Amino acid sequence: MKLVTIVCEAILEERVVELLRESGAHGYTAFPVRGSGNQGERNADMAETGNVQIQVIVKTSVSETLITRLQSELFKAYAMVAYESDVRVLRPEKF
């Protein structure tokens, strides 16, 4: 199983969630985040200008589809990053 973590502009949350579902994910967790990076500092004071972190646990095939679509559809136009990690899930039937 893979944990895919996406940090993006908050205005993208709905689009990313739609992409998650289209890629085969069954659920996700999202929360506001703040930090500093290549695009400068972003805080979570105002929802419209902040960032959101979205995490999803999926099968490897779903992760590959999701990451490919993020790269081709969103990366060029938006300040965002995504990464995946191997995870051991204690209740794999949930995914």
Side-chain angles (χ1 to χ4, degrees):
M1 301 294 284
K2 299 288 186 180
L3 168 64
V4 179
T5 301
I6 303 156
V7 180
C8 63
E9 300 172 47
I11 60 169
L12 284 178
E13 183 174 352
E14 285 184 33
R15 177 67 184 114
V16 170
V17 169
E18 178 182 315
L19 206 148
L20 290 173
R21 290 188 179 121
E22 291 171 359
S23 297
H26 301 291
Y28 66 94
T29 300
F31 45 93
V33 294
R34 63 182 187 278
S36 179
N38 202 26
Q39 298 290 324
E41 189 168 328
R42 297 184 66 100
N43 60 48
D45 293 342
M46 295 177 50
E48 308 84 40
T49 61
N51 283 349
V52 63
Q53 182 168 315
I54 302 167
Q55 294 183 309
V56 60
I57 297 173
V58 293
K59 295 178 181 173
T60 301
S61 60
V62 173
S63 175
E64 292 297 326
T65 300
L66 175 59
I67 288 172
T68 298
R69 290 196 60 193
L70 286 169
Q71 287 177 316
S72 66
E73 296 176 29
L74 299 176
F75 276 13
K76 292 177 187 171
Y78 298 98
M80 63 186 306
V81 65
Y83 52 94
E84 72 174 10
S85 306
D86 291 321
V87 292
R88 187 176 117 199
V89 178
L90 301 180
R91 296 175 70 187
E93 70 278 1
K94 294 285 197 178
F95 304 91

Coordinates of all heavy atoms in Angstrom, one line a residue:
M1 N 0.8 -1.2 0.0 CA 0.0 0.0 0.0 C 0.9 1.2 0.0 O 2.0 1.2 0.5 CB -0.9 0.0 1.2 CG -1.8 -1.2 1.4 SD -3.1 -1.3 0.1 CE -4.2 0.0 0.6
K2 N 0.3 2.3 -0.5 CA 1.1 3.6 -0.6 C 0.3 4.7 0.1 O -0.9 4.7 0.1 CB 1.2 4.0 -2.1 CG 2.0 3.1 -2.9 CD 3.5 3.1 -2.6 CE 4.3 2.2 -3.6 NZ 5.7 2.2 -3.3
L3 N 1.0 5.5 0.8 CA 0.5 6.8 1.4 C 0.9 7.9 0.4 O 2.1 8.1 0.2 CB 1.0 7.1 2.7 CG 0.7 8.4 3.3 CD1 -0.8 8.6 3.5 CD2 1.5 8.7 4.6
V4 N -0.1 8.5 -0.2 CA 0.2 9.6 -1.1 C -0.2 10.9 -0.4 O -1.3 11.0 0.2 CB -0.6 9.6 -2.4 CG1 -0.3 10.8 -3.3 CG2 -0.3 8.3 -3.2
T5 N 0.8 11.8 -0.3 CA 0.6 13.1 0.4 C 0.7 14.2 -0.7 O 1.7 14.2 -1.4 CB 1.6 13.3 1.5 OG1 1.5 12.2 2.4 CG2 1.4 14.6 2.2
I6 N -0.3 15.1 -0.7 CA -0.3 16.2 -1.6 C -0.5 17.5 -0.8 O -1.4 17.6 0.0 CB -1.6 16.1 -2.6 CG1 -1.5 14.7 -3.3 CG2 -1.6 17.2 -3.5 CD1 -2.9 14.2 -3.8
V7 N 0.4 18.4 -1.0 CA 0.3 19.7 -0.4 C 0.1 20.7 -1.6 O 0.9 20.8 -2.5 CB 1.6 20.1 0.3 CG1 1.5 21.5 1.0 CG2 1.9 19.1 1.4
C8 N -1.0 21.4 -1.5 CA -1.4 22.3 -2.6 C -2.1 23.5 -2.1 O -2.5 23.6 -0.9 CB -2.2 21.6 -3.6 SG -3.8 21.0 -3.0
E9 N -2.4 24.5 -3.0 CA -3.2 25.6 -2.7 C -4.6 25.2 -2.3 O -5.2 24.3 -2.9 CB -3.3 26.5 -3.9 CG -1.9 27.0 -4.4 CD -2.0 27.8 -5.7 OE1 -2.9 28.6 -5.9 OE2 -1.2 27.5 -6.6
A10 N -5.1 25.8 -1.3 CA -6.4 25.4 -0.8 C -7.5 25.4 -1.8 O -8.5 24.6 -1.8 CB -6.8 26.3 0.4
I11 N -7.4 26.3 -2.8 CA -8.5 26.4 -3.8 C -8.5 25.2 -4.7 O -9.5 25.0 -5.4 CB -8.3 27.7 -4.7 CG1 -6.9 27.6 -5.4 CG2 -8.5 29.0 -3.9 CD1 -6.7 28.7 -6.5
L12 N -7.5 24.3 -4.6 CA -7.4 23.1 -5.4 C -8.0 21.9 -4.7 O -8.1 20.8 -5.4 CB -6.0 22.8 -5.8 CG -5.3 23.6 -6.9 CD1 -3.9 23.1 -7.0 CD2 -6.1 23.5 -8.2
E13 N -8.4 22.0 -3.5 CA -8.9 20.9 -2.7 C -10.0 20.1 -3.5 O -9.9 18.9 -3.6 CB -9.3 21.2 -1.3 CG -9.7 20.0 -0.5 CD -10.0 20.3 0.9 OE1 -9.8 21.5 1.4 OE2 -10.4 19.4 1.6
E14 N -11.0 20.8 -3.9 CA -12.1 20.0 -4.6 C -11.6 19.3 -5.8 O -12.0 18.2 -6.1 CB -13.2 21.0 -4.9 CG -14.1 21.4 -3.7 CD -15.2 22.3 -4.1 OE1 -15.8 22.1 -5.2 OE2 -15.6 23.1 -3.3
R15 N -10.8 20.0 -6.6 CA -10.3 19.4 -7.8 C -9.4 18.2 -7.5 O -9.5 17.1 -8.2 CB -9.5 20.4 -8.6 CG -8.8 19.9 -9.9 CD -9.9 19.5 -10.9 NE -9.2 18.8 -12.1 CZ -9.4 17.6 -12.4 NH1 -10.2 16.8 -11.7 NH2 -8.7 17.1 -13.4
V16 N -8.6 18.3 -6.5 CA -7.7 17.1 -6.1 C -8.6 16.0 -5.6 O -8.3 14.8 -6.0 CB -6.6 17.6 -5.1 CG1 -5.9 16.3 -4.5 CG2 -5.6 18.5 -5.7
V17 N -9.6 16.3 -4.8 CA -10.5 15.2 -4.3 C -11.2 14.5 -5.5 O -11.3 13.3 -5.5 CB -11.4 15.8 -3.3 CG1 -12.5 14.8 -3.0 CG2 -10.7 16.2 -2.0
E18 N -11.6 15.3 -6.4 CA -12.2 14.7 -7.6 C -11.3 13.8 -8.4 O -11.6 12.7 -8.8 CB -12.7 15.9 -8.6 CG -13.3 15.4 -9.9 CD -13.7 16.6 -10.7 OE1 -14.2 17.6 -10.2 OE2 -13.4 16.6 -11.9
L19 N -10.0 14.2 -8.5 CA -9.0 13.4 -9.1 C -8.7 12.2 -8.4 O -8.5 11.1 -8.9 CB -7.7 14.3 -9.3 CG -6.8 13.9 -10.4 CD1 -6.1 15.2 -10.9 CD2 -5.8 12.9 -9.9
L20 N -8.7 12.3 -7.0 CA -8.5 11.1 -6.2 C -9.6 10.0 -6.5 O -9.3 8.8 -6.7 CB -8.6 11.4 -4.7 CG -7.5 12.3 -4.1 CD1 -7.9 12.6 -2.6 CD2 -6.2 11.5 -4.1
R21 N -10.8 10.5 -6.5 CA -12.0 9.5 -6.8 C -11.9 8.9 -8.2 O -12.1 7.7 -8.3 CB -13.3 10.3 -6.6 CG -13.5 10.6 -5.1 CD -14.9 11.1 -4.9 NE -15.1 11.4 -3.5 CZ -15.4 12.6 -3.0 NH1 -15.6 13.6 -3.8 NH2 -15.6 12.7 -1.7
E22 N -11.6 9.8 -9.1 CA -11.4 9.3 -10.5 C -10.3 8.3 -10.7 O -10.3 7.4 -11.5 CB -11.2 10.4 -11.5 CG -12.4 11.3 -11.6 CD -12.2 12.6 -12.4 OE1 -11.0 12.8 -12.9 OE2 -13.1 13.4 -12.6
S23 N -9.3 8.4 -9.8 CA -8.1 7.5 -9.9 C -8.3 6.2 -9.1 O -7.5 5.3 -9.2 CB -6.9 8.2 -9.3 OG -6.6 9.3 -10.1
G24 N -9.4 6.1 -8.3 CA -9.7 4.9 -7.6 C -9.6 4.9 -6.1 O -9.7 3.9 -5.5
A25 N -9.3 6.1 -5.5 CA -9.2 6.2 -4.1 C -10.6 6.2 -3.5 O -11.6 6.7 -4.1 CB -8.5 7.5 -3.7
H26 N -10.7 5.6 -2.3 CA -12.0 5.5 -1.6 C -12.2 6.5 -0.5 O -13.4 6.7 0.0 CB -12.2 4.1 -1.1 CG -12.1 3.1 -2.1 ND1 -13.1 2.9 -3.1 CD2 -11.2 2.1 -2.3 CE1 -12.7 1.9 -3.9 NE2 -11.6 1.4 -3.4
G27 N -11.2 7.2 -0.1 CA -11.3 8.2 1.0 C -10.0 9.0 1.1 O -9.1 8.7 0.4
Y28 N -10.0 10.0 2.0 CA -8.8 10.8 2.1 C -9.0 11.6 3.4 O -10.0 11.6 4.1 CB -8.7 11.8 0.9 CG -9.8 12.8 0.9 CD1 -9.7 14.1 1.5 CD2 -11.0 12.5 0.3 CE1 -10.7 15.0 1.5 CE2 -12.1 13.5 0.3 CZ -11.9 14.7 0.9 OH -12.9 15.6 0.9
T29 N -7.9 12.2 3.8 CA -7.8 13.1 5.0 C -7.2 14.4 4.5 O -6.2 14.4 3.8 CB -7.0 12.5 6.1 OG1 -7.6 11.3 6.5 CG2 -6.9 13.5 7.3
A30 N -7.8 15.5 4.9 CA -7.3 16.9 4.5 C -7.3 17.8 5.7 O -8.2 17.7 6.5 CB -8.2 17.4 3.3
F31 N -6.3 18.7 5.7 CA -6.2 19.6 6.8 C -5.4 20.8 6.3 O -4.5 20.7 5.4 CB -5.6 19.0 8.1 CG -4.4 18.2 7.9 CD1 -3.2 18.7 8.0 CD2 -4.6 16.8 7.6 CE1 -2.0 17.9 7.8 CE2 -3.5 16.0 7.4 CZ -2.2 16.5 7.5
P32 N -5.6 22.0 6.9 CA -4.9 23.2 6.5 C -3.4 23.1 7.0 O -3.2 22.6 8.1 CB -5.6 24.4 7.1 CG -6.4 23.8 8.2 CD -6.7 22.3 7.8
V33 N -2.5 23.6 6.2 CA -1.1 23.6 6.6 C -0.4 24.9 6.3 O -1.0 25.7 5.5 CB -0.3 22.5 5.9 CG1 -0.8 21.1 6.4 CG2 -0.4 22.5 4.4
R34 N 0.7 25.2 6.9 CA 1.5 26.4 6.5 C 2.9 26.0 6.4 O 3.3 25.0 6.9 CB 1.3 27.5 7.6 CG 1.8 27.1 8.9 CD 1.5 28.2 9.9 NE 2.2 27.9 11.2 CZ 1.7 27.2 12.1 NH1 0.5 26.6 11.9 NH2 2.3 26.9 13.3
G35 N 3.7 26.8 5.7 CA 5.1 26.6 5.6 C 5.8 27.5 4.6 O 5.2 28.5 4.1
S36 N 7.0 27.2 4.3 CA 7.8 28.0 3.4 C 8.5 27.0 2.4 O 8.9 26.0 2.8 CB 8.8 28.8 4.1 OG 9.6 29.6 3.3
G37 N 8.6 27.5 1.1 CA 9.2 26.7 0.1 C 9.6 27.5 -1.1 O 9.7 28.7 -1.0
N38 N 9.7 26.9 -2.2 CA 10.1 27.5 -3.4 C 9.2 28.6 -3.8 O 9.6 29.6 -4.5 CB 10.2 26.5 -4.5 CG 11.0 26.9 -5.7 OD1 12.0 27.7 -5.5 ND2 10.8 26.3 -6.9
Q39 N 7.9 28.6 -3.5 CA 6.9 29.6 -3.8 C 6.8 30.7 -2.8 O 5.9 31.5 -2.8 CB 5.5 28.9 -4.1 CG 5.5 27.9 -5.2 CD 5.6 28.6 -6.5 OE1 5.1 29.7 -6.8 NE2 6.3 28.0 -7.5
G40 N 7.7 30.6 -1.7 CA 7.6 31.6 -0.7 C 6.9 31.0 0.5 O 6.5 29.9 0.6
E41 N 6.6 31.9 1.5 CA 5.9 31.5 2.7 C 4.4 31.6 2.5 O 3.9 32.5 1.9 CB 6.3 32.4 3.9 CG 5.8 31.9 5.2 CD 6.4 32.6 6.4 OE1 7.6 33.0 6.3 OE2 5.7 32.7 7.4
R42 N 3.7 30.5 3.0 CA 2.2 30.5 2.9 C 1.7 30.1 4.3 O 2.2 29.2 4.9 CB 1.8 29.5 1.9 CG 2.2 29.9 0.5 CD 1.6 29.0 -0.6 NE 0.2 29.1 -0.7 CZ -0.5 29.8 -1.6 NH1 0.2 30.5 -2.5 NH2 -1.8 29.8 -1.6
N43 N 0.8 30.9 4.8 CA 0.2 30.6 6.1 C -1.2 30.1 5.9 O -1.8 30.1 4.9 CB 0.3 31.7 7.0 CG -0.5 32.9 6.5 OD1 -1.6 32.8 6.1 ND2 0.1 34.1 6.5
A44 N -1.8 29.6 7.0 CA -3.1 29.1 7.0 C -4.1 30.0 7.6 O -5.2 29.6 8.0 CB -3.1 27.7 7.7
D45 N -3.8 31.3 7.7 CA -4.7 32.3 8.3 C -6.0 32.5 7.6 O -7.0 32.6 8.1 CB -4.0 33.6 8.5 CG -2.8 33.6 9.5 OD1 -2.8 32.6 10.3 OD2 -2.0 34.5 9.5
M46 N -5.9 32.5 6.2 CA -7.0 32.7 5.4 C -7.2 31.5 4.5 O -6.3 31.1 3.8 CB -6.9 34.0 4.5 CG -6.9 35.2 5.3 SD -6.6 36.7 4.3 CE -7.8 36.5 3.0
A47 N -8.3 30.8 4.6 CA -8.5 29.6 3.9 C -8.3 29.7 2.4 O -7.7 28.9 1.7 CB -9.9 29.1 4.1
E48 N -8.7 30.9 1.8 CA -8.6 31.1 0.3 C -7.1 31.2 -0.1 O -6.8 30.9 -1.3 CB -9.3 32.4 -0.1 CG -10.7 32.5 0.4 CD -10.8 33.1 1.8 OE1 -10.1 34.0 2.1 OE2 -11.7 32.6 2.5
T49 N -6.2 31.6 0.7 CA -4.8 31.8 0.3 C -3.9 30.8 0.9 O -2.7 30.9 0.7 CB -4.4 33.2 0.6 OG1 -4.4 33.4 2.0 CG2 -5.2 34.3 -0.1
G50 N -4.4 29.9 1.7 CA -3.6 29.0 2.4 C -3.3 27.7 1.6 O -3.7 27.6 0.4
N51 N -2.7 26.8 2.2 CA -2.4 25.5 1.7 C -3.2 24.4 2.4 O -3.6 24.6 3.5 CB -0.9 25.1 1.7 CG -0.1 25.8 0.7 OD1 -0.6 26.5 -0.2 ND2 1.2 25.8 0.9
V52 N -3.4 23.3 1.7 CA -4.0 22.2 2.3 C -3.2 20.9 2.1 O -2.5 20.9 1.0 CB -5.5 22.0 1.8 CG1 -5.5 21.7 0.3 CG2 -6.2 20.9 2.5
Q53 N -3.1 20.0 3.0 CA -2.4 18.8 2.9 C -3.5 17.7 2.8 O -4.4 17.6 3.6 CB -1.5 18.5 4.0 CG -0.7 17.2 3.8 CD 0.4 17.1 4.8 OE1 1.2 18.0 5.1 NE2 0.6 15.9 5.4
I54 N -3.4 16.9 1.7 CA -4.4 15.8 1.5 C -3.6 14.5 1.5 O -2.6 14.4 0.8 CB -5.1 16.0 0.1 CG1 -5.8 17.4 0.1 CG2 -6.0 14.9 -0.1 CD1 -6.3 17.8 -1.2
Q55 N -4.0 13.6 2.3 CA -3.4 12.3 2.4 C -4.4 11.2 2.1 O -5.6 11.2 2.4 CB -2.8 12.0 3.8 CG -1.7 13.0 4.2 CD -1.2 12.7 5.5 OE1 -1.9 12.5 6.5 NE2 0.2 12.6 5.6
V56 N -3.9 10.2 1.3 CA -4.7 9.1 0.9 C -3.9 7.8 0.9 O -2.7 7.8 0.5 CB -5.4 9.3 -0.4 CG1 -4.3 9.5 -1.5 CG2 -6.3 8.3 -0.8
I57 N -4.5 6.7 1.4 CA -3.8 5.4 1.4 C -4.5 4.6 0.3 O -5.7 4.5 0.3 CB -3.9 4.7 2.7 CG1 -3.2 5.5 3.8 CG2 -3.4 3.3 2.6 CD1 -3.4 4.9 5.2
V58 N -3.7 4.1 -0.7 CA -4.2 3.4 -1.8 C -3.3 2.3 -2.3 O -2.1 2.2 -1.8 CB -4.3 4.4 -3.0 CG1 -5.4 5.5 -2.8 CG2 -3.0 5.1 -3.4
K59 N -3.8 1.5 -3.1 CA -3.0 0.4 -3.8 C -2.0 1.1 -4.7 O -2.2 2.2 -5.2 CB -3.9 -0.5 -4.5 CG -4.8 -1.3 -3.7 CD -5.7 -2.2 -4.5 CE -6.6 -3.0 -3.5 NZ -7.7 -3.7 -4.2
T60 N -0.9 0.4 -5.0 CA 0.2 0.9 -5.8 C -0.3 1.4 -7.2 O 0.1 2.4 -7.7 CB 1.3 -0.1 -6.0 OG1 1.8 -0.5 -4.7 CG2 2.4 0.4 -6.8
S61 N -1.2 0.6 -7.8 CA -1.7 1.0 -9.1 C -2.5 2.3 -9.1 O -2.4 3.1 -10.0 CB -2.6 -0.2 -9.6 OG -3.7 -0.4 -8.8
V62 N -3.3 2.5 -8.0 CA -4.0 3.8 -7.8 C -3.0 4.9 -7.6 O -3.2 6.0 -8.2 CB -5.0 3.7 -6.7 CG1 -5.7 5.0 -6.4 CG2 -6.1 2.6 -7.0
S63 N -2.0 4.7 -6.8 CA -1.0 5.7 -6.6 C -0.3 6.1 -7.9 O -0.1 7.3 -8.2 CB 0.1 5.2 -5.6 OG 1.1 6.1 -5.5
E64 N 0.0 5.2 -8.8 CA 0.7 5.5 -10.1 C -0.3 6.3 -10.9 O 0.2 7.3 -11.5 CB 1.1 4.2 -10.8 CG 2.2 3.4 -10.1 CD 3.5 4.2 -10.0 OE1 3.8 5.0 -11.0 OE2 4.2 4.0 -9.1
T65 N -1.5 5.9 -11.0 CA -2.5 6.7 -11.8 C -2.6 8.1 -11.2 O -2.6 9.1 -12.0 CB -3.9 6.0 -11.8 OG1 -3.7 4.7 -12.4 CG2 -4.9 6.8 -12.5
L66 N -2.8 8.2 -9.9 CA -3.0 9.5 -9.3 C -1.8 10.4 -9.5 O -1.9 11.6 -9.9 CB -3.2 9.3 -7.8 CG -3.3 10.6 -6.9 CD1 -4.4 11.5 -7.4 CD2 -3.5 10.2 -5.5
I67 N -0.6 9.9 -9.3 CA 0.6 10.8 -9.5 C 0.8 11.2 -10.9 O 1.1 12.4 -11.2 CB 1.9 10.1 -8.9 CG1 1.8 10.1 -7.4 CG2 3.1 10.7 -9.4 CD1 2.8 9.2 -6.7
T68 N 0.5 10.3 -11.8 CA 0.6 10.7 -13.3 C -0.3 11.8 -13.6 O 0.0 12.7 -14.3 CB 0.4 9.4 -14.1 OG1 1.4 8.4 -13.8 CG2 0.4 9.8 -15.6
R69 N -1.6 11.7 -13.1 CA -2.6 12.7 -13.4 C -2.2 14.0 -12.7 O -2.4 15.1 -13.3 CB -4.0 12.2 -13.0 CG -4.4 11.1 -14.0 CD -5.9 10.8 -13.9 NE -6.7 12.0 -14.2 CZ -8.0 12.1 -14.0 NH1 -8.6 11.1 -13.4 NH2 -8.6 13.2 -14.3
L70 N -1.8 14.0 -11.5 CA -1.4 15.2 -10.8 C -0.3 15.9 -11.7 O -0.4 17.1 -11.9 CB -0.8 14.9 -9.4 CG -1.8 14.6 -8.4 CD1 -1.1 14.1 -7.1 CD2 -2.7 15.8 -8.0
Q71 N 0.7 15.2 -12.1 CA 1.8 15.8 -12.9 C 1.3 16.4 -14.2 O 1.7 17.5 -14.6 CB 2.9 14.7 -13.2 CG 3.7 14.3 -12.0 CD 4.7 13.3 -12.3 OE1 4.4 12.3 -13.0 NE2 5.9 13.4 -11.8
S72 N 0.5 15.6 -14.9 CA 0.0 16.1 -16.2 C -1.1 17.2 -16.2 O -1.1 18.0 -17.1 CB -0.4 14.9 -17.1 OG -1.6 14.4 -16.5
E73 N -1.9 17.2 -15.1 CA -3.0 18.1 -15.1 C -2.9 19.3 -14.2 O -3.5 20.3 -14.4 CB -4.3 17.3 -14.7 CG -4.7 16.2 -15.7 CD -5.8 15.4 -15.2 OE1 -6.7 15.9 -14.5 OE2 -5.9 14.2 -15.6
L74 N -2.0 19.2 -13.2 CA -2.0 20.3 -12.2 C -0.7 20.9 -11.9 O -0.6 22.1 -11.6 CB -2.7 19.8 -10.9 CG -4.1 19.4 -11.0 CD1 -4.6 18.8 -9.6 CD2 -5.0 20.5 -11.4
F75 N 0.4 20.1 -11.9 CA 1.7 20.6 -11.5 C 2.2 21.9 -12.2 O 2.8 22.7 -11.6 CB 2.8 19.5 -11.6 CG 2.8 18.5 -10.5 CD1 1.8 18.5 -9.5 CD2 3.9 17.7 -10.4 CE1 1.9 17.6 -8.5 CE2 4.0 16.8 -9.3 CZ 3.0 16.7 -8.4
K76 N 2.0 22.0 -13.5 CA 2.5 23.1 -14.3 C 1.8 24.4 -13.9 O 2.4 25.5 -14.0 CB 2.3 22.8 -15.8 CG 3.2 21.7 -16.3 CD 3.0 21.4 -17.7 CE 3.8 20.2 -18.1 NZ 3.5 19.7 -19.5
A77 N 0.6 24.4 -13.5 CA -0.2 25.6 -13.3 C -0.3 26.0 -11.8 O -0.7 27.1 -11.5 CB -1.6 25.4 -13.9
Y78 N 0.0 25.1 -10.9 CA -0.2 25.4 -9.5 C 1.0 25.1 -8.6 O 1.8 24.3 -8.9 CB -1.4 24.6 -8.9 CG -2.7 24.9 -9.6 CD1 -3.1 24.1 -10.7 CD2 -3.4 26.0 -9.3 CE1 -4.3 24.4 -11.3 CE2 -4.6 26.3 -10.0 CZ -5.1 25.5 -11.0 OH -6.2 25.8 -11.6
A79 N 1.1 25.9 -7.5 CA 2.1 25.6 -6.4 C 1.7 24.4 -5.6 O 0.7 24.5 -4.9 CB 2.3 26.8 -5.5
M80 N 2.3 23.3 -5.9 CA 1.9 22.0 -5.2 C 3.1 21.0 -5.3 O 4.0 21.1 -6.1 CB 0.7 21.4 -5.8 CG 0.8 21.0 -7.2 SD -0.8 20.5 -7.9 CE -1.4 19.2 -6.8
V81 N 3.0 20.1 -4.4 CA 4.0 19.0 -4.3 C 3.2 17.7 -3.9 O 2.2 17.8 -3.2 CB 5.2 19.3 -3.4 CG1 4.7 19.4 -1.9 CG2 6.3 18.3 -3.5
A82 N 3.7 16.6 -4.4 CA 3.1 15.3 -4.0 C 4.3 14.3 -3.8 O 5.3 14.4 -4.4 CB 2.2 14.8 -5.0
Y83 N 4.1 13.4 -2.8 CA 5.0 12.4 -2.6 C 4.3 11.1 -2.1 O 3.2 11.2 -1.6 CB 6.2 12.8 -1.7 CG 5.7 13.4 -0.3 CD1 5.6 12.6 0.8 CD2 5.4 14.8 -0.2 CE1 5.2 13.1 2.0 CE2 5.1 15.3 1.0 CZ 4.9 14.5 2.1 OH 4.6 15.0 3.3
E84 N 5.0 10.0 -2.3 CA 4.4 8.7 -1.8 C 5.4 8.0 -0.9 O 6.6 8.1 -1.1 CB 4.0 7.9 -3.0 CG 5.1 7.2 -3.8 CD 4.6 6.3 -4.8 OE1 3.4 6.1 -5.1 OE2 5.5 5.6 -5.4
S85 N 4.8 7.2 0.0 CA 5.6 6.4 0.9 C 5.0 5.0 1.0 O 3.7 4.9 0.8 CB 5.6 7.0 2.3 OG 6.0 8.3 2.3
D86 N 5.8 4.0 1.2 CA 5.2 2.7 1.5 C 4.7 2.7 2.9 O 5.3 3.2 3.8 CB 6.3 1.6 1.4 CG 6.8 1.4 -0.1 OD1 6.0 1.5 -1.0 OD2 8.0 1.3 -0.3
V87 N 3.5 2.1 3.1 CA 2.9 2.0 4.4 C 2.4 0.6 4.6 O 2.0 -0.1 3.7 CB 1.8 3.0 4.6 CG1 2.3 4.4 4.6 CG2 0.7 2.8 3.6
R88 N 2.4 0.2 5.9 CA 1.8 -1.1 6.3 C 0.5 -0.7 7.0 O 0.5 0.0 8.0 CB 2.8 -1.8 7.3 CG 2.3 -3.2 7.7 CD 3.2 -3.8 8.6 NE 2.5 -4.1 9.8 CZ 3.1 -4.3 11.0 NH1 4.4 -4.3 11.1 NH2 2.4 -4.5 12.0
V89 N -0.5 -1.2 6.4 CA -1.9 -0.9 6.9 C -2.4 -2.1 7.7 O -2.4 -3.2 7.3 CB -2.8 -0.6 5.7 CG1 -4.2 -0.3 6.2 CG2 -2.3 0.5 4.8
L90 N -2.9 -1.7 8.9 CA -3.3 -2.8 9.8 C -4.7 -3.3 9.5 O -5.2 -4.3 10.0 CB -3.2 -2.3 11.3 CG -1.8 -1.9 11.7 CD1 -1.7 -1.5 13.1 CD2 -0.8 -3.1 11.4
R91 N -5.5 -2.5 8.8 CA -6.8 -2.9 8.4 C -7.0 -2.8 6.8 O -7.7 -1.9 6.3 CB -7.9 -2.0 9.1 CG -7.8 -2.2 10.6 CD -8.8 -1.3 11.3 NE -10.2 -1.7 11.0 CZ -11.2 -0.9 11.4 NH1 -11.0 0.2 12.1 NH2 -12.4 -1.3 11.1
P92 N -6.2 -3.6 6.1 CA -6.2 -3.4 4.6 C -7.5 -3.6 3.9 O -7.7 -3.0 2.8 CB -5.2 -4.4 4.1 CG -5.1 -5.5 5.2 CD -5.4 -4.7 6.5
E93 N -8.5 -4.2 4.5 CA -9.8 -4.4 3.9 C -10.5 -3.1 3.8 O -11.5 -3.0 3.0 CB -10.6 -5.4 4.7 CG -11.1 -4.9 6.1 CD -10.0 -5.1 7.2 OE1 -8.9 -5.5 6.9 OE2 -10.4 -4.7 8.3
K94 N -10.1 -2.1 4.5 CA -10.7 -0.7 4.4 C -10.3 0.0 3.1 O -10.9 1.0 2.8 CB -10.3 0.1 5.6 CG -10.8 -0.3 6.9 CD -12.2 0.0 7.0 CE -12.7 -0.1 8.5 NZ -14.1 0.3 8.6
F95 N -9.3 -0.6 2.4 CA -8.8 0.1 1.2 C -9.0 -0.7 0.0 O -8.6 -0.5 -1.1 CB -7.4 0.5 1.4 CG -7.2 1.4 2.7 CD1 -6.9 0.8 3.9 CD2 -7.3 2.7 2.6 CE1 -6.8 1.6 5.0 CE2 -7.2 3.5 3.7 CZ -6.9 2.9 4.9

